[in-house]
Amino acid sequence: MAAATPSPTPPGSLKRIVAASLIGTTIEWYDFFLYGSAAALVFNKLFFPESDPLVGTLLSFLTYAVGFAARPLGALVFGHYGDRLGRKKLLVLSLLLMGGATFAIGLLPTHATIGSAAPVLLTVLRLVQGFALGGEWGGAVLLVSEHGDAKRRGFWASWPQTGAPAGQLLATGVLSALTALLSDAAFASWGWRIPFLLSGVLVIVGLWIRLSVDESPVFKAALAAAEERKATAGQVEKMPLVAVLRHHWRDVLIAMGARMAENISYYVITAFILVYATTQVGLSKQTALNAVLIGSAVHFAVIPLWGALSDRLGRRPVYLIGAVGVGAWMFPFFTLIDRGTFGSLLLAVTVGLVLHGAMYAPQAAFFSEMFATRMRYSGASIGAQFSSVAAGAPAPLIATALLADHGTSTPISLYVIAAALLTVVAIVCARETRDSDLGDVAERAPEDSRVRADA
């Protein structure tokens, strides 16, 4: 007998759930971006002092890239147990792992104290960060998506997506304040530890909020239905990963393709731009950083607006606006930056991030609506995180290499345009999911995704 479709969560409770997802996601992205900023500022001197300065910086950024490599593993592990045990439990665990690793980095002895063990420990803690972040995204967006109804799911589910620009703003803001208040010597000696230790306080706040929310009603209904099938017909479900790869492999590929333009454009606009604006155009680092900060604030504001628009127009049309827009903006993007003024740089970055938001905002609801409940955490996480290794992780390195080889932004623009075309193909091949009933999807899961207990 099919379980009844759960009733939508009351608005007051839904806002609390959105807040829990947003705050937790902001903290996790704060931790993730904080590491990247510290890698650029001080880690090369503190953990790789025996290397040439440039080599030390490259080694420092290599430990940053390790975090991306660990995200798919986090997606697999958290997805499996999130589909078996529930979203809330795994979200609490991801926050503890990320916050604990970040806090530990703040206490870590440097190379001057324990020698080569210092960079090894730093790398291990970075792996823990990436592992935790790989499991965070899927759980955060599903907790919101599965509590709300279909009419405004795009709007509500887009709020956890604002955690990325919010985390970047918070991390950069804290570091900027410290560098302004402290001398270079004081910051290199002990000041760099403060933002990492601050993560401990943020995690306590995040845990207090996350522990106060309920498990997804859609998941609880699907779990009850699965237990009933096992009791009455002797049927047990396959592992979520196996079910996803067997019945939702096409959706996984679509999700991965959808993320190519979104992920690559984001890191070109926010990370590579710091290299291009300073080395190619001659602007100061502070000027470039200020442009990214202001653009990130606008990015934060427009994401819920794009999410709401996806409730009216559909996920696919809004996503296509973003993919086509980012591809079309790349040549004007670099043309504006080449003018060498703060205003033109700010316009280039802000418009780029606004267009990126058209992809990033509906992504949470779009990916959630692709998969059945008992394999949704696995499917959404695998599609999102495996693509980040191929897209986001190498994007700044590829863009830098293209600039070094050709001395012009043209191949970089073509690189982003190629990613945009791939995303357009993926979205065209996708089905529209706007009116999906997530509870109904759970009951329409393929029958052969279950096997008999005595098989």
Side-chain angles (χ1 to χ4, degrees), residues 21-37 64 68 71 95 98 102 126 129 133-134 136-137 140-141 159-172 202 259 262-263 266-267 360 363 385 388:
S21 294
L22 171 57
I23 290 175
T25 305
T26 298
I27 293 169
E28 299 231 16
W29 278 113
Y30 164 81
D31 292 345
F32 202 76
F33 286 135
L34 178 62
Y35 188 101
S37 299
Y64 174 71
F68 282 90
R71 284 164 67 173
L95 189 58
M98 176 65 89
T102 306
R126 181 58 175 173
Q129 280 191 324
L133 189 62
E136 160 70 20
W137 181 85
V141 300
W159 278 100
Q161 300 290 77
T162 64
Q168 187 172 57
L169 283 167
L170 184 60
T172 307
L202 298 176
R259 286 214 76 197
E262 178 267 304
N263 225 217
Y266 183 74
Y267 287 102
Y360 199 52
Q363 190 179 96
Q385 301 304 331
S388 69

Side-chain angles (χ1 to χ4, degrees), residues 155-182:
F155 171 73
W156 290 116
S158 70
W159 278 100
Q161 300 290 77
T162 64
Q168 187 172 57
L169 283 167
L170 184 60
T172 307
V174 171
L175 284 171
S176 296
L178 287 172
T179 53
L181 294 172
L182 300 176

Side-chain angles (χ1 to χ4, degrees), residues 38-58:
L41 292 171
V42 293
F43 281 177
N44 58 329
K45 300 174 183 177
L46 297 174
F47 293 94
F48 305 99
E50 296 180 351
S51 303
D52 174 85
L54 179 58
V55 174
T57 301
L58 289 173

